[in-house]
Amino acid sequence: MEKEDVLKNLKVLIEEKKLNERVAALGTQISKDYGDEDIFVICILKGAMYFTVDLTKHIKSENLEIDFMKVSSYGDEFISSGNINIIKDIDASIEGKNVLIVEDIIDSGNTLYYLKELLLKRNPKSLKICALLDKKARRVKDIVPEYIGFEIEDKFIVGYGLDFKDNFRNLPYIGYVEV
């Protein structure tokens, strides 16, 4: 599939307004759950960058720290290779901190399972996962996020941080293409 094919066949799955409302609701729920506790947010690059920025605007914590990890698991355009590579690790220690991993989409669960196990070895006070999209149909690892934006069917998704060959991340909605 080429970029032009995606453009030609792109359909809206989640409209911008609905997306913004759900992200705000997630931020409110996270604020309520953590109360006055400090939160260390780990944004999984590149896909979760838009989601993390918008989400953290709605988290009412005076002590919210954001760091970034970049992880690779894709072998080709659509299918996870199952091999997890840390390309960029967080810069700070998470020992004794409330950690919130923010991910764009949970597909097979391999990446988040690996990250959760890795980060738990660093002794955080707590570790939770917030995923914008949950694609349970493709799950192979038992990973259950505490916060989910939307459960979706097994579709090829782009927009709001999610890409196809590093394009379409800047779409203000979630779109899909039948493959």
Side-chain angles (χ1 to χ4, degrees):
M1 182 182 306
E2 296 301 319
K3 187 169 62 170
E4 295 75 25
D5 298 323
V6 173
L7 272 175
K8 189 171 34 177
N9 298 302
L10 188 61
K11 298 176 181 123
V12 176
L13 180 65
I14 304 169
E15 295 176 354
E16 183 178 7
K17 183 177 189 279
K18 187 175 179 182
L19 192 57
N20 291 335
E21 289 169 352
R22 184 64 186 135
V23 172
L26 285 169
T28 299
Q29 184 61 54
I30 291 166
S31 297
K32 192 182 300 183
D33 291 351
Y34 282 95
D36 294 334
E37 296 274 330
D38 295 354
I39 306 171
F40 189 96
V41 174
I42 300 176
C43 171
I44 307 303
L45 295 173
K46 298 178 188 175
M49 64 185 183
Y50 289 91
F51 178 42
T52 302
V53 168
D54 289 345
L55 178 70
T56 55
K57 290 176 186 177
H58 297 284
I59 297 175
K60 306 302 177 210
S61 172
E62 294 181 16
N63 295 303
L64 186 137
E65 189 175 347
I66 301 175
D67 207 336
F68 303 90
M69 288 186 87
K70 187 171 182 186
V71 183
S72 174
S73 68
Y74 281 87
D76 67 22
E77 299 166 1
F78 308 109
I79 307 297
S80 174
S81 68
N83 299 321
I84 312 301
N85 300 311
I86 304 288
I87 296 167
K88 187 234 177 281
D89 204 340
I90 55 176
D91 296 321
S93 169
I94 59 169
E95 187 168 351
K97 296 180 180 181
N98 293 307
V99 174
L100 180 66
I101 300 172
V102 180
E103 179 66 291
D104 55 357
I105 186 168
I106 303 176
D107 199 327
S108 67
N110 286 326
T111 301
L112 275 176
Y113 184 86
Y114 175 84
L115 283 179
K116 185 175 181 180
E117 295 301 309
L118 175 74
L119 295 171
L120 283 172
K121 291 176 185 171
R122 298 180 185 182
N123 302 313
K125 179 178 178 181
S126 68
L127 187 123
K128 294 182 180 181
I129 297 169
C130 179
L132 177 63
L133 304 172
D134 190 7
K135 194 189 294 188
K136 288 183 178 178
R138 295 181 42 89
R139 190 81 82 251
V140 296
K141 287 286 188 185
D142 186 24
I143 192 90
V144 180
E146 286 75 12
Y147 306 99
I148 299 171
F150 301 91
E151 288 187 21
I152 62 168
E153 296 176 21
D154 189 10
K155 295 183 181 290
F156 182 73
I157 305 296
V158 296
Y160 198 66
L162 293 104
D163 73 301
F164 173 71
K165 296 182 179 180
D166 263 334
N167 290 280
F168 308 107
R169 290 187 196 279
N170 63 322
L171 296 175
Y173 59 87
I174 302 289
Y176 73 97
V177 177
E178 299 292 343
V179 290

